[in-house]
Each structure stands twice: as C-alpha cells, then as structure tokens.
Amino acid sequence: MTELLVAKGLAKAFGPTNALVDASMSVRAGELVAVMGPSGSGKSTLLHCLAGILKPDAGSVTYRDAELSAMPDSERSALRRNDFGFVFQFGQLVPELTFLENVALPLRLGGMRRAEAERSAKVWMDLLEVGDIASKRPGEASGGQGQRVAVARALATEPKVLFADEPTGALDSLNGERVLRLLFDAARQTGAAVVLVTHEPRVAAYADREVVVRDGRTQDVELVA
Amino acid sequence: MTDALRRWFGDLSLGVRLAAAGGRGSAVRLAWITIGIGLGVAALLTAASAGSVLDSHEQRTRARIIGAAPDADRPVPGVSPLYSSAVFTEFAGRRFGGEMLFADGATPPKVPGVEVLPKPGEIVLSPALRDLLASPEGTLLLPRFPQRVTGILGDEGLSGPWELHFYVGVERAELPGTSPAYSVGVPPERLYFDPLLSSLVVIASVVLLIPVVVFVAGTARLSASARDRRLAALRLIGADAGQVRRIVAGESLAGALVGLVAGVVFFVVGRDLVDSVSLFGMSIYGKDIRPSPALALLVFLVVPVIAVGTALVALRRTLIEPLGVSRGARRAPRRLWWRLLPILAGVALLAGQHRGMASQPQTALVVIGVVLVLVGLPMVLPWLLERCVRRSRGGPLSWQLAMRRMGAHGGASWRIVGGFAALLAGGIAVQALLLTSDSIHRDESWTPTADRDLAWTTTADSESARRLAERLRTMPGVRRAVSYDVVHAQQPPHLNGPVELIVAPCPALRELTPIQNCAEGDVFSFPEPNGEIADLPPGTEFVLSTAPEGRLSWRQPERVRPIARPAFHAPWSGAGLLITPAAVGQGVPQLQHLVAVRLGEDDPLALEAIRNEIGLTRPLSFSARATPVSDSERTYTAIRRLVTVGSVAALAVAAGGLLVVAFEHVRHRRRQFAVLSATGVPYSTLAWSVLWQNAVPVVLGTGAALACGLGLATLVLNTTPTPQRYDWEAIGLTGAAAVLAVLLATVMTLPQLRRAMRSEGLRTE
Amino acid sequence: MSIGHALLGLLENGPRHGYDLKRAYDERFGHDRPLHYGQVYSTLSRLLRNGLVQVDGTEAGGGPERKRYAITEAGVTDIDGWLGTPEKPEPYLQNTLYAKVVLALMSGRSAQGVLDSQRAEHLRMMRALTRRKADGDLTDQLVCDHALFHLEADLRWLELTAARLDELRVVST
Ligand SMILES: Nc1ncnc2c1ncn2[C@@H]1O[C@H](COP(=O)(O)OP(=O)(O)OP(=O)(O)O)[C@@H](O)[C@H]1O
Ligand SMILES: [Mg+2]
C-alpha cells in the first residue's frame, strides 16, 4: 500500500507549552488509523498539523510527496476542500445555515452550482440517515443528528483522507457506534483513509492501526509488540 | 474567465445568504445592523443637508425684505408703491417681528407668503403666531394683536414652520419718513462666514461624522466572534483566503446595503417629522433638508466601503488561524505607541499654530489637528480599557465576570465607546468654541450691568407720549414714566463725542433730573457718564435740517446751567443739553418723542402688560439688553442650533450603538448565561455584570473624552486671540446623557437576559 | 497470577530468607490473600529444582526458614521473558499486571513497555472481536460487546496505570 500522508519529526509549541515534541506517523490510502493518548498529549495538534491547518515548528508533513508547509495558502485550502474532510466533536456546522446547506457548503466552495450541490448533498444525508431533517438548522436537532450531518458534509467531497477529532465524544455508546459505523462504511466505500482521534478503546478497535501520543511523542505501538 | 466570475458571484451570494440566513438570531442581528447603519446613514444625509437648510433659510428671509434692494424705490410701471417699516416685539423671552405696511394703490408688489396685503387695522399672521395667540399662554399676548386677522402666511414667506412673523396694515401717517418700495426681496448673496465660524463649522461636522463612521464600522462588525467562528469553520473545510474575503464582503455588503435603504427611509420619515416637532427652538422645513447630491453620493459610496473595509480588516486574525473553531487563541496585548501617533501629531500641529508661534493660524492645519486628535482617541481607548481590565483583580463576582468577559471579547463595545468618546470630546471642544465665538458676536462690553430696569419707547407726537407716560405711571410694575423729545441735529464739527438735545417742559425735566429753578426758556447741560463736560461755548450751532426748503439751525444761548446726568437716559449716550420748549422756538422739524419707563422688580406679567399698553407697532426697548443684529449673528445662531441638534442626534446614535452592542452581547452569550444561571449564579449577579460591562467602558471613555475635549478646546482656542470659556453645563449634561445611555442600554437588555437564563439558552449550537 | 515469577522478581533485588520473601510478597501483592508458608517453600523448591534460584547460605539452627535464597542467571532471563510477554487478554488480569508493573519498577525495567505491549495485545483482541461483531448476528454482537466492554475497562485501567507510573515508582521502591 502507498503512503498517502507522512509526518516526520513534528514539533509544535504554543508559547511555553510544547504540544508536540517529536511526532511521526503515516497514513496509507484507505486505511483507518486511530490516534490515542491522554488528554493534553497533543493528539489534536498532531491532527491539525497533518491536515495542514497548523504549521509545525519543525518536521515535515508530505501529502502525495508534496510538502504541506511549502504550499501557499490557496493550495492548502484547495487541498482541504478537495482531498480532506473533517469531523470534530462540535461547533463545525455553520449555525446560520440549514443542514442541507451545510452539507452543500464545501461543494459550493469548490465551484459547484447550488442546485447540483444540494442534490448531491441530499444523497449523502440520506446515506447517513438524516435526509429527513435537511431543512432544519443545527440548533434544532440532537447532537447525534448534527454529528451525522457533519459526517455527511465531510464525505460529500469524497475526500482521500478524513480527519475526525473525537467525533463521538458527546454521544452515548450506541449512537456513537452508529455514527462511527456509518462513517467507516462510507469511508470504505469511497476508499478514504481515516485518521481518528479518540479516547475510547472501543472506537479505536475499529481501526486497522493505532498510534499513541504521549507528551507530544508518538509511539507506533504495533512496532513495540 | 466567466467561470471565475461566476465563482466570485457564488462567494458573494453565499455571503449575502449568510447575512440573511439563520432563523431568529441572525434576523435580529441583521435588524440591528440595519438600524445601526441606517441611523448612521440618516445622520450623514442630514449633515449633508446642512448647506441646503441654511441656504433656503437665508434665501427666504432675504426674499421678503421690503425695499432694501438697490433699485427698490425706482417706480415700476403697473406697480403701486408699498410703504413699510419693520417692527419687533418680545414675548416670553422670544423676540419676533414683522412689517407695518401701507399699500398705496391696488397693485402693490408681491410680498412672499402673503395672499392679500392687510389694510389698516388688519393683520396677516404666521401659523405659529396664530397658534400661539390661540393657546392659553398666548392670552397675555392677545391684547397686542387687536387687528382683524385676514390671512395666514404661507411657507414661502417664512424661515421655518415655527417662526413667529406678521404683516400689519397701518395708515400712511404711521410710517413717517419711509420711502416707497416697488419691489420686495434682496438678491441672494453668499452666506457670510467669518474665519472662526467657518473653522467651527468644519470641526463640528467632523466631530459629528467621526462617531457615525465609528458606529457604522462597529455595527458592521457586530457579533464578530460568532462570525469569526463561522468563517473559521469555512476555512477549515477549505475556503481559501480570497473566498473568505469575498464571503465576508458579501455578508457586510448585504448589511450595508439594507442599512443604506433603511437610512434613506429614516431620513425621509425624520424629515417629515421635523415639520411637526420643534426641538431647541429649531424651526426648519422638512422640505429644506435636501442633501447635496455630491455629498449624498459620497455617503452611498463611503458607507458600504467602510462596512466592508472594517470587516475585512477585522478578518486578518481569522485568516491566519482557521482553528478558531476549536479554540480561541489569546490575542497579543495591544500596543500603545502607534495608537498614540495621531494624537501626538494632532497636538503638535495645534501647538504649532499657537498664536505665539505662528503669525497667522491656518484654519486648514487647525482642522487637521483636531481631526487627528479625535481620530486618535478611539484608537487609544481600547488600549486604555485593556490595561484597566487586565489590572483589575478581586471585586464581587459580577465585577469579575464583567472584567473577564471584556478582556476576552471587548472589541465591539470598545469600538462603539471609542466613537462615543470622540463625540463627547468633539462636543466639548465645539461647545467651548461656540461659547468663545459667542462673546465675539455679542459685544459684551456694550452691555452695562446697571439700569436693567430702564426701558423706553417712541410715539408719534409729544401729546401721545405724554398721555402714554401718564397711563403707564398707573400700571403695576412701573415705578416712573417720563415723556420727552429728542432733537435730531447735526453735530458741531469740533466735538468728538455726540451731544444730545433733549426737549421737554419743566415738569418733565424735573422728572428726568433734579433741577432747582426751572423756567421756560432755560437750557441746562449735563456731562458724559464719566463726568466730562462737553466743550460747548455759547453760540455753538446745531444744524437741525438741511432740507432744500431752507436750512434750519439752533444756536446755544448764552446762559447754560450745569446739572447732573438724567437718571432716565440711555447710559451709553454722551453729554447733552436739556432744553425747555421755549428755548427751541417753533418749527423744529425732526423730533423723536420718547417715553422712558423705570420698571419695578422683575415681573414678566407686568412687562407683557406694559408692552400691550404700548401696542404692537411701538417696541419697548431696553438699554441693558442686546438684541441680535448682524448678518453673521443670524448665521451663527442657525449654526449653533444645528450643532446642538447634531450632537444630540449623534449622541442618540452612539447610545443606540451601545444598546445594539449590549443586546448583541446578551444574545451571543446566551448559552454562557444559561449555563451560569443553571449552576446557580443568581440573576442579580448577571444583571450587575451586564451593567458593569456597559458602564466601565463608558465611564472610562467619558473621562478620557473630558480630558481630551478640554485639552482640545484649549489648544484650538489658543490659536485665536480670544479668552476661553467652557460650557460646563453642557459638559455636565453630555456626561449625564452618557450615564443615562448606559442605564438605558442595561435596563433594556434585562428582559433578554432573563429569557436567556431560562434554559432555552442552553439549546443552541 | 504466577507466585513463582513474583518471588523471582522480589529476589532480583537481593538474596532473602524465605520468611522475608513471604513478608515482602504479602506487603505488595497479598492484600486480600496472604501466602501460606507451605506455598512459599513449595514454590521455592520448584524454582530450586529448575535452577532459577540457588541457596545463598544457611544460618545456624537448620530448618527451611533459615535458608537464604538468591536468583540465578537463568532466573533473571526467565523474569525478562515473563515481563516481556503480554498476558492473554482476558478478564480479571489486574493482579498479574499489577505485579508485573511493580516488579518491573523495582528492578528498574521499563514498566511503560510492559503496559504498552499489554495494551497492544488488548487492542488486537478488541479489533478481532469488533470484526467478528461486524460479521456476526445479533447474539454474536451482544456476546462480543460484553467482551469488548470488559476489555475496554482493562484497557482504561492500563492507561490510568501508565499515567500514574511515577507515583507508583515512589511507593514501590
Ligand atoms: N492554541 C493553543 N494555545 C495554547 N496552548 C495550546 C493550544 N493548542 C494546544 N495547546 C496545548 O497543547 C497541548 C496539546 O493540546 P492538544 O489539544 O493537542 O491535546 P489533545 O491530546 O488533543 O487533548 P484532548 O484529548 O484533551 O483533546 C495542551 O497542553 C494544550 O494546552
Ligand atoms: Mg483534542
């Protein structure tokens, strides 16, 4: 399998806090990687560096042999728009827009016409079993429904890599697992790789591989065993 | 190419959609933005109309002046002559006037606003005067208007809807010495502005515009943190910098355009209201408020540019950090030095124009200096506030909540308060300028402090003067009344001060001043107020008339006895002679018949009764009261009123802005308030915290504005050689208004706070 | 729970009398179930037989309680192997894992390594179960979920222990 996304020796500090000290990991096409570790260990920071949202202080992130930090902002944005997808714990939907408009948003940013974008958004919403609340707004639905919509939005552009940061953190285990199953199945279908930050071993158990972050350092546990 | 264009429009329309979308919350936000920008636009349009207001005011007052045009007395075929004389009267502290008219023929020239000229015993009134006479407080005035009302003045003959004005018909005999007029109106002229006045106008308009601009910028950025989050979410899913900018541009453009429309509506509606309400004695026709087309165009261009521009500038941080979704990074503390630059530059400019250093103060530089200081104030204020907020430790929980919240999201309210402070500072400076120029326009040295109770009036002949004096003597509020005549005479050339010739029989002379022995044929001489005796050798000749029929003169007789100055005479006049009628002889052509009145204690009712007794066409003059006369004075009054109205309007706009911010704040923090109240924080604590949050910036801002305004006034007035005066009353009033605005904003947000605290606040993304 | 490995681990810090060994064991691992002398001596004699310990000296008076035992090279190797091999993930492992961690700490070995390899083992098991769950019917799913929740609890315990290793090091050495 080809290495899609490779991070080597990442370091990132926020003022006096060293969020990442020496983190390396790779993501292969179509695989599902779980990132685990204690709170504050730097998981989210690692994810943001991988996705090109944060610029690491040291180290490199390459996507398909292109160095992310060397790209101009517009190119990185285009990458986020076309090749990456994001699902976070909350706060990622635009509260002013309906669910349908939210899902169609990345497509429209990519230049798709409104009607077309909303048609294909509807397909994804149906797939995630939230087609019936398409015209509601984020304030008007449950957390689980909102999360499914977020997944639909992340998948709508058929990304190559899907980044998820504690996507089920606020949901009960049954609902959490439902959302995850839908996410993983859809990712399998489109061949997207998934990088999943989670605290829950049961969630991590869905992954093919696990990366543990401790105090800003990664350990590829597979190698230790 | 077309594809790129389409995507451009796509982004812009997405922005518009974002501005409009989103249920009640964003509808409320959009409404506030609309109101905010709308108020700003309306204020700007009003300011752009100042010229037209002054102009039409001036034009109409000039158009009704009778017989003053250079060729007005040249007969015009088919037009019969019109005789007129201006009259003034005073009622309840208001001075107003009209014309006595006598039309000699059937085709007199047209007087603007008058349908049919009043015949003797008739009168035409302005609507405001008619209403005043019909109202209860007008009953006192009624006896002065016994004439039959035959018409109501039309708009074209009045300076404004609230002007008291009249045309009263009289007999030809009541208009002695007037010449016939064949035309009415004086050709329009440019308004006269003296230098201080014109710099005043410029500074005043800048002062009024700054808060409006700041306000537009502030409202355009309402709920910036919510928007930052939204945009960060967009960035996260791959909107690039250009796209986000276009989306933001679309979003704020939508607000600005809706605001423009609302502003025009406000303006038009407000203009119609102007006719029916009278603020501060302002009397303006709504139809006179016409923005100059160029300025209006400028407003329409500048407002969207400001709105979009500030939104884009505010975007910098979000663009760098698309992570705003997950966490708000801490801002770097504000830096002081570059914020201080405009103020320092302004102060340097003004100090350089100090009258000791520059030979001639340059108005342009002074104005630039003032603008720099006023622009600098809102820039320094956030720094000051931030310092204070950071310093604050301890205090009750509500205080702490307010401080921390301000530390985290102070932005919007600080910006509004900045505008507020600039307005206050400018207002204080303008007030000081107004007061200072006030003393230029009213010659204070001319107003003596004594003899406030001495008044006089004129009558047609000696006999009626004598009778009037008799009647007045019996009235309450009158201590003494004397009638006498004054002779108009050419002064002998060798005198440097005027010498007045007063003619009255002995009993009347005794009323004027103590005289032991008085017989017909006697002549007495009194000195100037400072005691100097005029150099009048016997035989000095006073020329009484140079009429072609024959020169008439009067020679001073041999025997002239010195006496004390008459206590009844106008204090500013010079030395004079008291002459018994026998000493004058017959045939003195030009006698002025006077009745002097010494009033009792200050009694407005008695005063009005006296005026009524004297009648409409004869004014009661006071020696100790100045009345506005000069052209410049009239403009000045109009400007001063406009400035007052303008600063009140701008203050209202600023208060509205504060309210908007407070509302938006509660709306936006709904969730936090709900959470806090759910954890048991009592309502009163939260309410207090909202009050603190509104009050602290305003109090700090007002303090800074006071210091800045007084400093500014001192600096500006230093550029002119006039003693400085500060309008402490107005300053106190504006301060009180600021406090009131805070309280109002807080009180009005409380219901919303209550609603937020009911758990519904917990249920939002 | 292997008493033999525990005694070996305790001996690694230095030779001890049998009586001492029992006391040391009870202190650290035997809170609810102290060892009987019989268990100690039978285990020690098994270790002697396998050459993992040797008698270091005998004090006057004879009797088993007077012997001093010491660990051999072979014993150290055995301990290494034991600590390095993750336990088969199954419920109620905490006694063994705890002993392993404490002994690793006492002997200066990497306790983190012990925990890491164990959690990898647990996750491997969980992944297998998750896969089975995905393919199986409802009964299968419920059974798997039961096991998964138990394993998850253990894993959480492992994580918690890993986070508190420094405290544990102070207590156990
Ligand atoms: N923007 C920031 N400013 C300051 N410190 C930050 C910032 N982002 C992260 N940190 C710090 O970096 C460290 C790692 O943060 P990160 O969010 O990556 O942890 P995490 O592993 O995702 O934790 P959690 O499981 O609780 O989400 C933390 O100590 C955090 O406080
Ligand atoms: Mg995190």
Side-chain angles (χ1 to χ4, degrees), chain A residues 14 44-45 48 53-54 73-74 77-78 80-81 86 88 90-98 101-102 105-106 108-114 137-142 153, chain B residues 3 6-7 10-11 13-14 17-18 21-24 26 29 226 229-230 233-243 247 319-323 325-327 763-765:
Chain A
F14 298 102
S44 300
T45 310
H48 294 149
I53 301 170
L54 275 181
D73 175 76
S74 58
S77 298
R80 283 206 295 275
R81 205 159 55 223
F86 298 90
F88 290 149
F90 53 75
Q92 55 205 322
L93 296 176
V94 180
E96 283 82 1
L97 299 181
T98 65
E101 286 170 324
N102 261 296
L105 198 55
R108 290 190 64 195
L109 284 177
M112 198 184 278
R113 276 172 206 285
R114 182 182 171 137
R137 292 209 173 78
E140 304 165 346
S142 81
R153 187 185 67 180
Chain B
D3 192 47
R6 194 172 62 75
R7 286 185 57 176
D11 294 337
S13 67
L14 185 61
R17 168 93 185 97
L18 278 175
R24 243 188 81 221
S26 9
R29 190 185 69 234
R229 272 214 336 219
R230 187 163 69 235
L234 285 174
R235 282 285 283 154
L236 205 58
I237 58 171
D240 63 33
Q243 279 183 308
I247 290 172
L319 280 185
I320 299 164
E321 196 146 30
L323 258 189
V325 208
S326 30
R327 42 173 67 101
R763 241 197 101 73
T764 33
E765 168 90 340

Side-chain angles (χ1 to χ4, degrees), chain A residues 12-20 35-48 54 89 165-166 197-199 213 216, chain B residues 321 323 327-330:
Chain A
K12 176 81 192 171
F14 298 102
T17 329
N18 288 318
L20 287 180
V35 178
M36 299 190 74
S39 209
S41 57
K43 304 182 295 292
S44 300
T45 310
L46 174 61
L47 191 81
H48 294 149
L54 275 181
Q89 193 171 341
D165 195 347
E166 317 247 10
V197 171
T198 183
H199 275 122
V213 186
Chain B
E321 196 146 30
L323 258 189
R327 42 173 67 101
R330 189 188 287 253

Side-chain angles (χ1 to χ4, degrees), chain B residues 476-691:
Chain B
V478 177
R479 277 197 283 165
R480 291 169 75 186
V482 189
S483 63
Y484 58 93
D485 298 340
V486 172
V487 182
H488 288 290
Q490 244 172 39
Q491 298 289 311
H494 74 274
L495 289 177
N496 38 20
V499 170
E500 245 180 297
L501 308 184
I502 293 174
V503 182
C506 275
L509 285 185
R510 282 211 191 84
E511 288 280 331
L512 286 172
T513 188
I515 303 175
Q516 252 86 50
N517 310 308
C518 176
E520 276 301 307
D522 280 357
V523 174
F524 306 91
S525 145
F526 61 87
E528 283 185 45
N530 59 13
E532 250 176 69
I533 297 172
D535 173 27
L536 294 171
T540 308
E541 186 188 32
F542 290 88
V543 178
L544 300 182
S545 166
T546 51
E549 312 87 76
R551 208 177 116 101
L552 198 63
S553 68
W554 178 77
R555 275 181 191 285
Q556 191 186 323
E558 204 62 26
R559 206 173 101 88
V560 170
R561 282 187 287 159
I563 45 153
R565 255 183 93 75
F568 262 80
H569 203 55
W572 64 86
S573 57
L577 298 174
L578 296 184
I579 311 165
T580 48
V584 186
Q586 293 304 305
V588 175
Q590 298 259 317
L591 277 175
Q592 198 182 1
H593 313 287
L594 291 173
V595 178
V597 185
R598 173 122 3 234
L599 299 168
E601 61 272 15
D602 216 0
D603 181 358
L605 282 180
L607 194 59
E608 297 305 343
I610 293 167
R611 285 208 182 94
N612 288 343
E613 185 59 49
I614 295 170
L616 177 63
T617 54
R618 306 269 167 209
L620 184 68
S621 311
F622 281 84
S623 62
R625 285 194 206 161
T627 39
V629 275
S630 75
D631 231 19
S632 168
E633 174 72 39
R634 267 225 309 280
T635 324
Y636 164 79
T637 314
I639 287 171
R640 186 172 176 168
R641 285 194 176 150
L642 269 184
V643 167
T644 315
V645 170
S647 30
V648 169
L651 209 68
V653 167
L658 203 67
L659 186 65
V660 170
V661 169
F663 261 120
E664 181 62 23
H665 167 79
V666 173
R667 199 182 71 75
H668 181 224
R669 308 264 112 204
R670 204 167 43 211
R671 192 186 167 86
Q672 283 88 328
F673 281 128
V675 169
L676 281 173
S677 94
T679 53
V681 178
Y683 170 72
S684 63
T685 303
L686 292 181
W688 275 109
S689 81
V690 172
L691 177 67

